[in-house]
Amino acid sequence: MGDAIEGIGLARLLASASFRRSREVAAQLAGDAAGLRQLLADVERKVFAVGSLTSSPRGVHVDIAGAMVEAHLEELTEPGLTAERRAVLTSDPRPRVVIAALHYLVTERDVVPDWLPTGHLDDLLVLQWASDVARGDLPLV
């Protein structure tokens, strides 16, 4: 993915203060429909030194993650949603990982600052990991 990322590695990204903060925010946002809508809007507007990720082939992970959050949001706002079902939805770790990855994406100052030419690479790595976790291809860390 690039020299800036090779020395960091996924494990260090996931253990970083930036991603830990994103996981904390995700725990709060998992049950907040308005907050999730705002996050998705922030993702749509996100621009890096290389431009928008959604316009690149690697941007597919942004689209997958966004679709997963939209599906979670749809379930969360279902008419007649019981408190029990809401508790299950908001505590499910897979959507929370994806929400955390999208929050990490829109965070300006993360492990590799987004204003650098390679500032999107850490974001893509985290998004790819989160998409794989959400699909069940990888275990939760």
Side-chain angles (χ1 to χ4, degrees), residues 19-139:
F19 192 68
R20 280 195 315 269
R21 172 72 180 126
S22 291
R23 286 186 91 149
E24 291 168 5
V25 170
Q28 297 166 2
L29 287 178
D32 179 0
L36 289 173
R37 286 186 191 100
Q38 182 61 54
L39 177 62
L40 290 171
D42 292 345
V43 168
E44 285 287 322
R45 288 190 301 272
K46 181 66 180 178
V47 176
F48 293 86
V50 294
S52 171
L53 291 182
T54 56
S55 61
S56 74
R58 289 183 169 162
V60 69
H61 295 293
V62 177
D63 294 340
I64 290 169
M68 289 175 180
V69 172
E70 286 172 359
H72 176 77
L73 181 58
E74 189 173 301
E75 284 185 281
L76 192 62
T77 57
E78 273 182 6
L81 181 70
T82 66
E84 183 178 287
R85 177 69 182 138
R86 181 180 182 76
V88 168
L89 286 173
T90 58
S91 64
D92 186 345
R94 294 195 187 281
R96 286 171 55 168
V97 163
V98 175
I99 293 165
L102 288 176
H103 181 268
Y104 184 86
L105 173 82
V106 299
T107 300
E108 291 293 322
R109 291 207 144 293
D110 49 28
V111 174
V112 182
D114 294 345
W115 50 266
L116 292 174
T118 58
H120 64 291
L121 296 179
D122 62 318
D123 301 278
L124 285 172
L125 188 58
V126 168
L127 278 168
Q128 181 177 5
W129 170 79
S131 296
D132 290 346
V133 166
R135 284 194 314 261
D137 295 341
L138 293 174

